[in-house]
């Protein structure tokens, strides 16, 4: 009897219409294009990931799982390269992309199947272990690559190949007689099939995605039990013990905690959000909101990192947020952004944009070095100095994932709705958007995220009435808005946005001034690891301290006085770490007084403390200088 | 040109001469005898560990390593049972011990070899992988069992069998032509061979032990490389990466950090200490002292637990002492006691007795439940409530190790020297010792460790002059001594002992009053995990808080004021946890004010605090009631 709708009211503006020229993202995008994408290609070649599509390799059986799902890495690279081509045409890269696309197509089997590992090494094991072997995950990433390739080149050859593969999967799996009721242990294909549906117009792909989401976690019997028994295995001997690991422990509509492998959970929920919209299904949207509440209010790091545990690359229990051992995989931050971007479009609730911003500026972009040629897989919130980015990984899922998000980062800035233009972020950019079918050019200038002053100029063909929706970030307590120099009363926000509804003239200028003080952040009393602690944040930027700036003492010796934090100075340093605002202030540090190397514990005499100057830098930029300690959360004292 | 000696000046009084009737250990020994030893036997039978000596089993190859070294577990059980028989004759247990001894003997091969796994499952792999497969480790534990069996029964059959096995090993391994230069990846046989030498008088066993210690870590070439290559393996692919894991990265005399697997390190060093004495070798004693300094001053938990990391079951780096993830294996605490007991005998330096006491009363005895039928393998210093003792383990090394130490605990109380009687601990007991060849009966009464008042009555055949050496524990700052009611000036200690040198008469009474306040303990500023924290200790007992006593709040919410700690009350509760002194006081706890389940982080508003009554119990007794949180180190505020 619900009357709630689950259709999206907003439509994101594509990155193809947005050109960033801000101090934070534009250099990252440039490095991504010039350094990271070529670097990743070379690594994929060197590790045989590209050559695998020649179907001419030897592998032991059983093979390491990272080899089994190796097709997904070139797929993500191809997606990144295609996005880059759209914004920065490049004949050389275009030729390479064409070559890789042809290679992928050449590996397709007559029945449409397209997976190098199972074609070459274990043809008899095709589709025999959906739980563990990532076949549909690889298919999904290839589908996303195909959609991007068609978008970039207009050439449908790869799209057609992946449609044939989707047809194959659609014949094999489903609820009908003669089909197996399977779905992938690593979700991804669900959201990919929705993209494939939009790119091809073939509604069967949407239906297949819906089937996969709804079959997931059904248990009479459970498909992963069935296929394990068919392999001669005891399903109870699943290493992860329960199907929570792959979010298949119960149907999605019955899940109320975000569990298991973090990337899997987020990709799945992105697909669920897509289907909620496509089928106008409030029960799927409700599942999203329920799991979002649990994730954001009980299981997310301040950086937007998610999944504290290395063991399952994922979630543990509510309020368990260790800092030094945080897993917080880069791919999980990416998938968190993808899911929230989908949720944001339903009703324009700024709480989703808050998560996107918090994650992009911190726990996502920490994943790549400023030089663009080394990466974090794991993004802890404290380090003894032994954690460093590396050029590549045995499981290289993160680098090309960073690549595709950076290349399409413009996706996240704007949405349009009925008589509405939504501005989610304030990174400097030029955008060509369409509101109610009419073109609007936006020139947004700012020094965001280092300063909160935003200047927004509109160019229209003709005067046009629409609501300009400006996001007031969750971190912001005070702001001022002017239109053409005249103050506007925007004291109240609606779900995180202020609205200026008027007939806009070409040349209208809106200024938004977001007050951006240094803030002390505290964690819920149930987060045992963070009690008596504070973190530093300014605007969307979470800060950390590094040994190199705070030399001579261990960072855990430093305590910060909450009352002093607002007095920390903000010092923009153009030559440091690509240009960052550092924070400077005073803390108190435990001294060596009375201690020596022959005393580990002492009785009744607490350590003495002394004032110490401290310097904090943006978390995302750590480990770009001399290796050393890093810490986000400090003792408050 | 050194003139230092490395001969032991002290001789420990055997547990066979000491009967504990104190409130702490006597009940533990009783439970060990009545519950743990039968329980462990049953578990060993049920898991096939005893039956293995029938040489009639099937195992896959490669077998799990815990099966490969399965002989060591019955060996330790047999050692425990034999010690128990010595102090508590028991025909039923004696019959069982005889039966197990016969079973072990029956598995011996004509050439003396005695290992069930390699005899039955992989006869071709005998002695092919000393690095990983624990063959000599098992041999060592069997030798220790054989020595105990001979001591308990006077029957030399098992001792003879193990001597034959030692002869076999002595033929196979050594520095002579035709011998292989091997030694075990898991030290243990080194100390066992010294015991076997003393039990049999056969000096070759001592020489073999010396060879093994001195060959260890030699690298021209390294034996573990040689044997790996002989197996067709690449030695660089050793999972632990370096031979630090088994303390074979360099010769012992060149080692200056305690590294690798903690139990291996401690067993090795116990053997090294034995050899220092046997060969009067100051260079070996210097190695002990060097590694002891590193261990005790940079790498030991307050509880006497050692080895923070699960990964290598061992050491990481200086000052790395995480509490919740502490590994601190029970066997490592045991081996730490064994090593320090050996070091204590060289010159009677109380610093070694301090470590023994700290470990026995805390991180050792935490390893077994009060009921005696479940065990900790891992002894963390904080728990979210998910860590519990279990009746058995896939690798059951710890339970019988606890059993043999408890059954022989009297070993640690006294030593004798030339005209000297050393009292190391003050647990209530009766002892028959011999000083300069003459019998001295000691009756020590106390309520230690709950009270510091000690009463010591001597019974002698005739007046006798000797120095009574009373240990002043490292935790004690104030004490008073009387002889026959008259105060004695004992303000100064020599290496932790006071000396009363006089002609003792039968009936003389010495009283020692150790002041035992509640103390706050602080960790070195380099221990990053413990900055701004304190722990509670009274006497030798390290305290913790458990959820069950401090209900309704998370333990990490509690902060303790250092100034309040001395005012904590001490409340002996005879009906709690077998009778313990609990500490009661007031702390401050973070409240939920202003927080709810929809706020994970908040800006600029620290959590509020409120006074809270707290109760602390002895660390070793946690997890004996309702499961829940536990914590040793508290925020100081």
């Amino acid at each position: 009897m619900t009357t709630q709708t689950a259709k999206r009211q907003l439509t994101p503006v594509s990155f193809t219409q947005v050109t960033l020229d801000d101090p934070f993202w534009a250099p990252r995008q440039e490095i991504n294009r010039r350094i990271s994408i070529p670097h990743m290609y070379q690594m994929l070649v060197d590790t045989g990931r590209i050559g695998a599509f020649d179907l001419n390799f030897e592998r032991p059986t059983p093979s390491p799982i990272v080899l089994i799902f190796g097709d997904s890495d070139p797929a993500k690279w191809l997606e990144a390269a295609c996005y880059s081509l759209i914004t920065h045409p490049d004949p050389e890269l275009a030729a390479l992309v064409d070559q890789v696309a042809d290679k992928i197509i050449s590996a397709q089997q007559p029945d449409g199947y397209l997976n190098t590992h199972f074609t070459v090494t274990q043809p008899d094991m095709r589709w025999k272990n959906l739980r563990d072997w990532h076949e549909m995950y690889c298919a999904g990433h290839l589908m996303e690559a195909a959609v991007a390739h068609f978008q970039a080149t207009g050439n449908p050859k790869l799209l057609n190949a992946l449609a044939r593969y989707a047809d194959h999967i659609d014949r094999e799996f489903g609820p009908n007689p003669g089909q197996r009721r399977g779905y992938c242990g690593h979700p991804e294909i669900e959201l990919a099939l929705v993209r494939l549906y939009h790119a091809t117009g073939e509604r069967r792909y949407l239906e297949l995605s819906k089937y996969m989401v709804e079959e997931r976690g059904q248990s009479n019997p459970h498909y992963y039990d069935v296929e394990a028994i068919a392999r001669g295995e005891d399903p109870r001997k699943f290493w992860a013990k329960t199907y929570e690991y792959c979010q298949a422990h119960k149907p999605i509509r019955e899940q109320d905690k975000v569990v298991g492998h973090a990337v899997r959970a987020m990709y799945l929920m992105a697909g669920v959000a897509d289907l909620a919209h496509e089928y106008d299904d409030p029960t799927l949207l409700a599942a999203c909101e329920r799991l979002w509440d649990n994730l954001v209010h009980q299981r997310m790091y301040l950086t937007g990192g998610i999944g504290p545990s290395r063991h399952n690359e994922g979630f543990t229990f509510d309020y368990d947020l260790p800092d030094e051992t945080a897993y917080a995989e880069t791919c999980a931050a990416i998938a968190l952004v993808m899911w929230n971007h989908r949720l944001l479009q339903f009703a324009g609730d700024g709480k989703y944009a808050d998560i996107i911003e918090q994650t992009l500026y911190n726990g996502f972009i920490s994943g790549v070095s400023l030089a663009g040629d080394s990466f974090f897989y794991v993004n802890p919130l404290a380090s003894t100095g032994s954690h460093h980015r590396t050029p590549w990984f045995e499981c290289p899922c993160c680098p090309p994932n960073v690549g595709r998000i950076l290349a399409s980062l413009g996706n996240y800035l704007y949405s349009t709705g009925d008589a509405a233009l939504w501005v989610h972020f304030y990174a400097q950019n030029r955008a060509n958007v369409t509101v109610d079918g009419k073109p609007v050019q936006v020139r947004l200038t700012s020094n965001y995220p280092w300063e909160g002053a935003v200047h927004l100029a509109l160019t229209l063909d003709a005067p046009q009435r629409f609501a300009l929706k400006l996001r007031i970030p969750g971190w912001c307590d005070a702001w001022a808005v002017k239109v053409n120099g005249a103050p506007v009363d925007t004291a109240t926000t609606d779900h995180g946005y202020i609205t200026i509804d008027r007939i806009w003239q070409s040349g209208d200028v809106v200024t938004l001034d977001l007050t951006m003080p240094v803030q002390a952040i505290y964690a819920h009393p149930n987060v045992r690891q963070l009690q008596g602690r504070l973190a530093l944040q300014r605007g969307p930027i979470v800060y950390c301290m590094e040994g190199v700036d705070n030399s001579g003492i261990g960072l855990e010796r430093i305590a910060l006085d909450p009352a002093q934090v607002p007095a920390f100075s903000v010092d923009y340093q153009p030559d440091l770490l690509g240009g960052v605002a550092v924070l400077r202030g005073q803390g108190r540090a435990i001294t060596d007084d009375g201690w020596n190397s022959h005393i580990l514990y002492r009785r009744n005499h607490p350590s003495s403390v002394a004032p110490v100057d401290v310097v904090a830098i943006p978390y995302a930029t750590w480990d770009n200088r001399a290796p050393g300690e890093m810490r986000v959360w400090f003792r408050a004292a």
Side-chain angles (χ1 to χ4, degrees), chain A:
Chain A
M1 297 292 285
T2 179
T3 56
Q4 191 189 346
T5 177
K7 296 300 283 185
R8 290 180 179 143
Q9 307 301 308
L10 284 67
T11 303
V13 172
S14 167
F15 74 96
T16 61
Q17 305 304 312
V18 180
T19 305
L20 285 155
D21 60 349
D22 72 318
F24 192 96
W25 293 112
R28 295 286 201 160
Q29 288 192 305
E30 174 78 358
I31 293 283
N32 186 50
R33 190 171 60 78
R34 289 197 304 108
I35 307 295
S36 306
I37 289 176
H39 165 81
M40 293 190 280
Y41 180 75
Q42 195 57 49
M43 290 287 148
L44 289 165
V45 168
D46 292 351
T47 56
R49 290 276 210 272
I50 300 278
F53 289 97
D54 295 333
L55 302 181
N56 180 24
F57 56 83
E58 283 185 27
R59 237 171 239 173
T61 50
S63 295
I65 186 68
V66 295
L67 293 181
I68 291 179
F69 61 80
D71 292 354
S72 60
D73 305 310
K76 273 186 281 190
W77 176 85
L78 189 62
E79 192 182 346
C82 289
Y83 295 152
S84 178
L85 282 180
I86 291 171
T87 56
H88 290 81
D90 173 341
E92 210 172 309
L93 183 60
L96 201 59
V97 156
D98 196 55
Q99 188 188 319
V100 172
D102 284 342
K103 247 190 216 299
I104 293 171
I105 293 165
S106 76
Q108 188 162 37
Q109 301 301 295
D111 61 356
Y113 186 79
L114 210 181
N115 181 298
T116 64
H117 177 81
F118 289 97
T119 298
V120 172
T121 305
Q122 293 180 283
D124 54 318
M125 295 308 282
R126 242 199 216 190
W127 304 128
K128 294 279 173 67
N129 188 343
L130 298 191
R131 187 189 70 191
D132 300 334
W133 287 346
H134 297 66
E135 267 164 299
M136 291 183 184
Y137 165 84
C138 287
H141 273 306
L142 285 168
M143 289 170 194
E144 288 206 86
V147 171
H149 182 259
F150 180 57
Q151 191 182 3
T153 65
N155 184 330
K157 62 185 176 184
L158 187 61
L159 189 67
N160 290 341
L162 269 296
R164 284 195 300 277
Y165 192 13
D167 293 339
H168 170 93
I169 296 170
D170 189 40
R171 285 192 300 274
E172 294 280 331
F173 296 96
N176 299 316
Q179 289 184 307
R180 279 176 285 170
R181 301 185 72 98
Y183 50 90
C184 194
H186 195 315
E188 147 63 20
I189 195 172
E190 297 80 0
L191 72 89
L193 283 166
V194 177
R195 295 189 70 184
L196 190 65
Y197 153 61
H198 282 289
T200 62
E202 177 53 73
R203 194 169 166 88
R204 276 188 297 111
Y205 305 148
L206 182 66
E207 295 284 342
L208 181 59
S209 173
K210 177 166 184 275
Y211 152 76
M212 286 178 173
V213 162
E214 299 200 323
E215 183 63 23
R216 188 171 208 89
Q218 303 292 344
S219 57
N220 43 354
H222 197 290
Y223 184 76
Y224 296 159
D225 288 353
V226 172
E227 62 164 20
I229 291 163
R231 289 192 308 273
E233 293 172 15
D234 181 347
R236 289 165 303 184
K237 293 197 174 159
F238 180 42
W239 73 270
K241 296 212 171 73
T242 85
Y243 296 147
E244 285 194 359
Y245 174 68
C246 37
Q247 297 83 40
H249 54 304
K250 54 171 93 164
I252 189 67
R253 290 186 182 85
E254 297 171 23
Q255 297 186 23
D256 55 6
K257 295 275 186 188
V258 61
V259 296
H261 187 280
V263 180
R264 298 177 193 224
M266 294 298 101
Y267 281 162
L268 172 63
M269 296 317 294
V272 170
D274 284 340
L275 294 170
H277 165 71
E278 298 292 347
Y279 287 93
D280 193 4
D281 185 339
T283 64
L284 289 180
L285 188 56
C288 284
E289 288 167 349
R290 203 162 55 237
L291 296 187
W292 189 92
D293 276 340
N294 177 236
L295 175 65
V296 168
H297 300 137
Q298 276 89 42
R299 299 187 177 208
M300 192 181 75
Y301 285 102
L302 183 62
T303 55
I306 55 174
S309 172
R310 179 178 297 270
H311 172 69
N312 64 349
E313 300 193 300
F315 299 104
T316 53
F317 50 91
D318 287 349
Y319 298 111
D320 182 37
L321 295 166
D323 57 0
E324 191 178 294
T325 60
Y327 198 69
E329 184 182 337
T330 304
C331 282
I334 288 168
L336 175 66
V337 168
M338 290 167 57
W339 182 33
N340 277 274
H341 188 230
R342 283 158 168 82
L343 292 175
L344 176 60
Q345 313 306 324
F346 282 93
D349 192 327
K351 70 184 183 184
Y352 301 116
D354 282 346
I355 300 301
I356 298 171
E357 185 180 65
Q358 186 172 2
T359 307
L360 285 177
Y361 279 100
N362 301 294
F364 157 65
I365 197 59
S366 58
V368 57
S369 68
L370 290 170
D373 56 358
S374 63
F375 304 88
F376 278 148
Y377 194 109
V378 171
N379 295 272
L381 279 75
S383 170
T384 60
S386 61
H387 185 64
H388 304 295
R389 293 183 188 84
T390 55
W392 206 240
F393 305 96
E394 204 180 357
C395 172
C397 54
C398 298
N401 219 353
V402 172
R404 66 176 181 148
I405 297 296
L406 271 178
S408 60
L409 200 83
N411 275 337
Y412 301 96
L413 275 75
Y414 298 96
S415 295
T416 55
D418 286 346
L421 172 61
W422 303 70
V423 188
H424 305 306
F425 299 105
Y426 300 107
Q428 180 165 296
N429 73 90
R430 294 173 196 278
N432 296 309
V433 306
T434 305
V435 180
D436 295 337
K438 290 169 193 140
V440 177
Q441 289 177 39
V442 183
R443 173 53 175 162
L444 187 156
T445 52
S446 79
N447 196 25
Y448 202 82
W450 312 123
E451 291 170 35
V454 177
H455 181 278
L456 201 140
L458 301 176
T459 305
L460 302 93
D461 286 353
Q464 182 180 357
R465 177 166 181 172
F466 60 84
L468 181 68
K469 301 272 197 173
L470 300 177
R471 173 170 161 265
I472 303 300
W475 51 260
C476 185
D477 293 318
W479 59 90
V481 183
K482 292 179 185 169
V483 175
N484 300 327
V488 178
D489 176 14
T490 53
T492 57
T493 59
D494 180 17
H495 290 85
Y497 289 80
I498 57 172
T499 303
I500 312 172
D501 190 350
R502 54 177 271 157
I503 298 167
W504 296 96
Q505 313 281 340
S506 196
D508 277 353
V509 167
V510 178
T511 61
L512 168 64
D513 198 5
L514 300 166
T515 306
M516 201 180 262
V518 180
Q519 300 183 322
I521 310 293
Y522 303 90
H524 189 284
N526 287 353
V527 183
R528 70 192 187 287
Q529 294 99 344
L530 302 181
Q531 291 317 292
R533 292 185 180 269
L534 63 81
L536 299 172
Q537 184 170 338
R538 179 171 175 269
I541 302 293
V542 173
Y543 280 78
C544 71
M545 291 188 209
E546 270 198 301
V548 66
D549 299 310
N550 299 275
S551 56
I553 51 168
L555 294 178
E556 257 299 57
R557 295 192 181 197
I558 297 173
L560 301 179
D561 180 349
Q564 292 295 318
V565 169
F568 273 38
S569 68
V570 180
D571 180 11
Y572 183 76
Q573 296 204 273
D575 297 329
L576 183 69
L577 297 166
V580 294
V582 305
L583 307 183
R584 297 178 191 281
Q586 203 170 68
R588 286 188 297 171
I590 288 173
T591 75
D592 280 331
D593 283 358
W595 291 99
N596 64 48
S597 67
H598 282 75
I599 309 173
L600 182 53
Y601 303 106
R602 75 183 187 192
R603 294 171 287 113
N604 303 330
H605 297 284
S607 295
S608 60
V609 295
V612 63
D613 293 328
V614 299
V615 176
I617 61 157
Y619 165 77
T621 65
W622 85 277
D623 194 41
N624 277 290
R625 295 174 293 166
E629 272 195 287
M630 183 278 293
R631 170 158 291 282
V632 170
W633 290 94
F634 288 85
R635 291 182 298 110

